[in-house]
Each structure stands twice: as C-alpha cells, then as structure tokens.
Amino acid sequence: MSATATEPRPTEPPSRALRTAFRAFAAIERVGNKLPNPFWLFWILAGVVIVLSAILAAAGVSTVHPGTHETIKVQSLLSKAGVTTMVEGAVENFATFPPLATILIVGFGIAVAEASGLFTTLLRRMVARVPGRYLTFALSMTAMVAHVAGDAAYVTLIPLGALVFRAAGRSPVLGCIVAYVSISAGYDASPSLTTTDVLLSSISTAAAHTIDPHYTVTPVANYFFGLASSVLVALVITLVVDKVISKRSDLAPDEPVKALSAEELRAVEVTPEQRRALRMTGLAAVGFVAVLTAAMIPADSPLRGEHGSLVESPVISGMSIVLFLFFSLLGWVYGRSAGTFRTAADIVDALVEGTRTYAPILVLFFAISQFLAYFKWTNIGNVIAVEGAETLKEMHLSGWTVLVGIAVLITFMNLVITSGSALWALAAPVLVPMLMLIGIEPQTTQAVYRVADSVTNCVTPMSPYFAMALGFIQQHKKSAGIGTLASFTIPIAAVVWVVWVAFFVAWYLLGLPFGIS
C-alpha cells in the first residue's frame, strides 16, 4: 500500500489459520510464563541430573563406547565422589566454562565500538540514501550486519526502520516489522563474525570432547554458511514483505505519514563529520586485515600453526582476541575522528560500561556451567549419545533427514527457551556427540541448530524483543496488539524457515564447507 494515504483503512479480519496460530501462541505464552528464569531452570535441571544419576547408577545403566570399546557406567552424584565433585569443583566449573572468557573478551571490543557511536552511524549510513525500491532489502541486510552489535541492534534499528520507511513515503509500521523480523528471524545469519560465533563454538567444542578430546569447533566453523545465509534470509524477507505483506490494508498508521521533522532528519542522516569518521574507520579496518594477512603469509610465521597450517593457527584458535583488537581499533579510530572519544580514559569507561551489559549472561553462565559439569561427570550424556546413535543407525535414516528432524525439534523448543546460548547449552551435550557417532560433524550440527534457533525468535511472545517491537509499532498504530504483530511475523517466519532449511539441506548434500574448521 502507499504510505501516503491520509486515513487508515479498516483492518482485515485474520484468517482461520492465523486465529489458530494466535491461540497456539497464547498457549505457549501461558506455559512459558510459568517457567522459571533460565538461571533457576538450570539449577532445577541440575537437581534432576543429581537424582537421575543416583537412580541410573543404582540400576547399573551403562553402554559401550563404539570407538574405544570402553564400558561407560552412569555415576551417582549422591555418592561420596559425586558430592566431593560438586563441592570442590564449583569454582573450577565456572572459571573453566569455555564461553566465559571468550564472550567477555569479544564483548570488550564490541563495547568500545558501540560506545564510540560506530554501529549507530554505520547502520544509519547503510539505509539513509537507498532508493525506495531497494529499501526493504537494504534495511534487512543492514539488520544482518547489525547482529555484530548483539541485542543493541533491536534498540537502534527498529525505530530507525520506521524513520527511513517514513522518509521514503512508506508505512513506518512496515519499517518496524522489517527491521524486527530481519534481526530476530535471521539472528544467526551474519556477514561478519559475532559474539554468537564465539559463544556457540565454545559450547560445541566442550560437547565434542565427549567423543574426541582433541576436537575443536572454531568461531569461524559456520562462517561461509552464515555469510551466504545472511543474503538469502534478507532476500526472502524482502520478497515476502514487498510481494505480500506490503499489500495488506492494516499497515496504515493512525495518522497520515508526514514529512520528517528537523530532529527526525538528524536521527536518519549522517553528518559530514560522521561520514569522514566512517571513511577513516574503513581504512583502519582494511589496514588491520592487510597487516594480519601479510603477517600470516610467511610459511614460518608465528601466526601459523604446526607445519604452517592456517586452519590450526593462533589466529583461528585465538579468534576472540583478534576480534577484540579489531573492534577496539575501529571504535577508537571512529571515536577520535567523530569526537566521541577524546582521551584514553574514554576507552576504559567504554569497557566498564560494556561489561555491565554482560552481567546477566555471567549470572546465567554460573548456573549453566554447574549443570553441564554435573551432566558430564555422571556420563548420562555419553549413554544417551551412544544409545541414540545406535537407534539412528538401526533406523537407517539419511544424515539430512536426521538434521531436519533436529531443526524441527529445536524450532519448537525455541518458542519457550528463547535464549540461544541457554538452549544450545542444553541441547549440545546430547546432539553433538550423538551425531558425531553417526558421522555428522559438530559444525554441521551447530549450523542446523542456528537455523532453527533463529527463525521462531520473531514469533514467540516469550522473547522480550517481541514486546519491544510491539511498543515501537504502537507509537504509530495504537490499536496494534500481540495478534497484530504475530499476523505479520508468522507468515514471514514460515517462509524463511522452509527456504533456509532447504538451503541448509542443499549445502549439506553438496558437501560444501560450513566454514573454517
């Protein structure tokens, strides 16, 4: 529809399918609201593991490792050895939890870049001067880039989406929807490395060690697939929005779309000083990559691994510190050029402020680390993985069939457990080793998880950003409610899920590398 209409047209009644979907999501919301905070959920699960380990150990439950032919018995946490492990190992479990240090180190760099204003200006620059017919794709692709900013992308890009759509004479409601769906449904698709890459790969590595103590899932293990997926998801969202969603009659805001005020224009436009700062930052980024590449060219470079390996190099294994340096450099260059950073003390302030945003994650990590340590020590995960793998072998299912089944399972689990790290911490200890035993690599399992974990983010009312997006939409259309937003996001998410899963299956069957492993 044209966003220049002077009066909102009547809202079309939702179809029977959408009404059914609304009832289903209302039920999910009721169930989800009864679940405890993820911190307490993992402690409850830890309690379940304690009790279950005692029962299974008393029953003599065991299995035989198919590789070493070693008998694996379930150990009871209520035994003397188990209690000692829980008490003495609590600090070490937390301190050695794989994602803990890596997520903080990368987060430090991102905090510097965010505090400098780099991300906000970059996002505005990417959509400010785009021709109207390419605006949807530009906004959606900008959201894919914005994933590097983490959850801050929602706060920045959703209202920006409304402004740029309004500036183009289109409905600001539609701009909010495009930005929200692109950030959430495509959360694990990005043309750049993000904290999610570091976090998930750490959990995957720990899970893989159940089968192979030397196996490493690098932060770039899904990079090729993530890069291609970011373009694919943006294209799919653009087609669905421009060909279907934009035709709906209930997109008109409560008031006629007006020209942007001077203040609103400043929120969209990029000043000459900011453009200059972006150019300087771009040169710094190119320089950083060039220097790093040149340093890795010599066969005897200290940045290469054993026998001159690039894959097993310190750059790949130490990707967290590389990302920290990269984002810190860009933030410092932009901040100095734009005037947002004046002294070295500003960097320290940015680091301190950025650390505060990770406090909820650190609290959650303490609970997750204890649960995973208990689960690993009891050998329950090993038994489930081995027996599950044997069952899959007996069913003679092809690899892609198993992976699609996992995608369906994770999709529904994500409706209730919306934290990607929490859900993967719960699923990885079973899925990764189990699929390794039937020949499916951990990076492949992680890739299909990321597809399934992303898409339903935009439809579940359990996500805090669902309410945030609705709040931004209600600034332009006060009558909008949960059902209104869901009626827009469900069709988009459904199409993205089908296309993205099909894309994953094609990638898998063609044997293409998911990233650098």
Side-chain angles (χ1 to χ4, degrees):
M1 64 161 283
S2 170
T4 56
T6 56
E7 295 182 4
R9 284 179 276 183
T11 301
E12 295 177 350
S15 64
R16 177 179 296 179
L18 283 177
R19 289 198 300 272
T20 301
F22 295 161
R23 287 194 293 270
F25 283 112
I28 290 171
E29 185 176 18
R30 287 194 297 272
V31 172
N33 286 337
K34 295 182 182 299
L35 290 176
N37 181 281
F39 174 82
W40 295 115
L41 177 62
F42 274 94
W43 280 117
I44 292 170
L45 291 172
V48 172
V49 169
I50 292 171
V51 174
L52 186 61
S53 69
I55 295 173
L56 296 179
V61 174
S62 65
T63 190
V64 177
H65 193 290
T68 63
H69 303 292
E70 176 189 359
T71 299
I72 303 173
K73 297 180 179 180
V74 174
Q75 302 182 101
S76 172
L77 282 166
L78 293 180
S79 64
K80 176 176 174 55
V83 172
T84 301
T85 296
M86 287 189 289
V87 175
E88 292 184 349
V91 174
E92 184 179 357
N93 294 339
F94 184 49
T96 59
F97 185 50
L100 178 62
T102 52
I103 196 72
L104 281 176
I105 291 172
V106 177
F108 284 157
I110 290 177
V112 174
E114 186 176 348
S116 72
L118 171 60
F119 291 147
T120 301
T121 304
L122 180 61
L123 298 182
R124 284 158 51 192
R125 179 64 173 166
M126 291 182 68
V127 296
R129 294 292 184 180
V130 176
R133 59 178 175 169
Y134 301 120
L135 184 56
T136 304
F137 178 76
L139 180 57
S140 186
M141 197 64 212
T142 300
M144 303 301 156
V145 176
H147 291 146
V148 73
D151 294 344
Y154 289 97
V155 180
T156 300
L157 202 58
I158 296 177
L160 180 61
L163 284 175
V164 295
F165 265 61
R166 183 178 160 194
R170 301 178 67 180
S171 169
V173 174
L174 186 60
C176 289
I177 292 168
V178 172
Y180 171 60
V181 171
S182 300
I183 298 170
S184 54
Y187 196 81
D188 279 323
S190 178
S192 61
L193 293 177
T194 69
T195 54
T196 302
D197 293 290
V198 177
L199 194 157
L200 296 186
S201 63
S202 299
I203 296 174
S204 299
T205 297
H209 285 174
T210 300
I211 303 300
D212 183 354
H214 304 292
Y215 202 101
T216 299
V217 181
T218 68
V220 289
N222 290 154
Y223 178 69
F224 300 154
F225 181 70
L227 172 62
S229 294
S230 66
V231 179
L232 173 76
V233 173
L235 284 172
V236 172
I237 290 174
T238 299
L239 288 173
V240 175
V241 167
D242 286 350
K243 300 298 182 183
V244 180
I245 302 298
S246 62
K247 311 298 181 185
R248 287 181 47 170
S249 62
D250 52 350
L251 277 171
D254 291 337
E255 298 179 359
V257 176
K258 301 176 182 178
L260 298 184
S261 65
E263 182 179 354
E264 289 171 325
L265 279 172
R266 283 194 295 272
V268 176
E269 295 290 346
V270 177
T271 66
E273 292 78 12
Q274 290 171 332
R275 285 197 292 271
R276 177 181 173 279
L278 283 179
R279 285 195 296 270
M280 296 297 293
T281 306
L283 291 174
V286 172
F288 182 92
V289 174
V291 170
L292 185 62
T293 303
M296 295 181 69
I297 290 176
D300 60 347
S301 169
L303 293 181
R304 283 179 177 255
E306 190 175 355
H307 306 301
S309 172
L310 291 175
V311 174
E312 298 177 358
S313 69
V315 172
I316 299 299
S317 59
M319 184 58 67
S320 56
I321 194 67
V322 174
L323 291 176
F324 163 71
L325 294 173
F326 180 72
F327 286 118
S328 295
L329 172 65
L330 299 193
W332 171 248
V333 171
Y334 179 85
R336 290 290 292 177
S337 301
T340 52
F341 286 161
R342 299 189 183 280
T343 67
D346 293 332
I347 297 291
V348 178
D349 292 340
L351 292 172
V352 172
E353 187 61 33
T355 303
R356 290 194 183 101
T357 65
Y358 286 95
I361 294 178
L362 298 181
V363 171
L364 177 60
F365 277 4
F366 179 67
I368 292 177
S369 64
Q370 305 308 315
F371 163 75
L372 291 179
Y374 297 172
F375 194 68
K376 180 179 180 180
W377 188 87
T378 60
N379 287 327
I380 292 176
N382 293 1
V383 172
I384 295 175
V386 172
E387 295 301 317
E390 290 300 318
T391 301
L392 291 176
K393 289 178 181 177
E394 292 173 1
M395 295 174 67
H396 301 292
L397 296 175
S398 57
W400 72 267
T401 306
V402 174
L403 291 166
V404 171
I406 289 174
V408 173
L409 173 65
I410 296 298
T411 296
F412 283 101
M413 291 178 67
N414 189 55
L415 291 172
V416 178
I417 304 176
T418 57
S419 169
S421 58
L423 182 53
W424 188 228
L426 188 62
V430 173
L431 295 181
V432 169
M434 182 173 70
L435 296 195
M436 286 179 74
L437 291 173
I438 62 172
I440 297 177
E441 297 178 327
Q443 55 266 34
T444 304
T445 307
Q446 179 181 280
V448 76
Y449 167 81
R450 298 180 73 163
V451 173
D453 175 59
S454 293
V455 179
T456 48
N457 286 337
C458 68
V459 302
T460 173
M462 294 305 302
S463 169
Y465 300 106
F466 188 94
M468 177 189 291
L470 181 58
F472 282 122
I473 289 173
Q474 288 174 336
Q475 293 179 7
H476 308 281
K477 191 176 184 66
K478 292 182 174 58
S479 61
I482 290 177
T484 306
L485 181 54
S487 72
F488 287 110
T489 60
I490 291 173
I492 300 174
V495 177
V496 170
W497 193 96
V498 171
V499 175
W500 201 358
V501 169
F503 182 68
F504 168 83
V505 171
W507 193 287
Y508 172 76
L509 293 177
L510 289 172
L512 300 175
F514 284 89
I516 302 174
S517 304

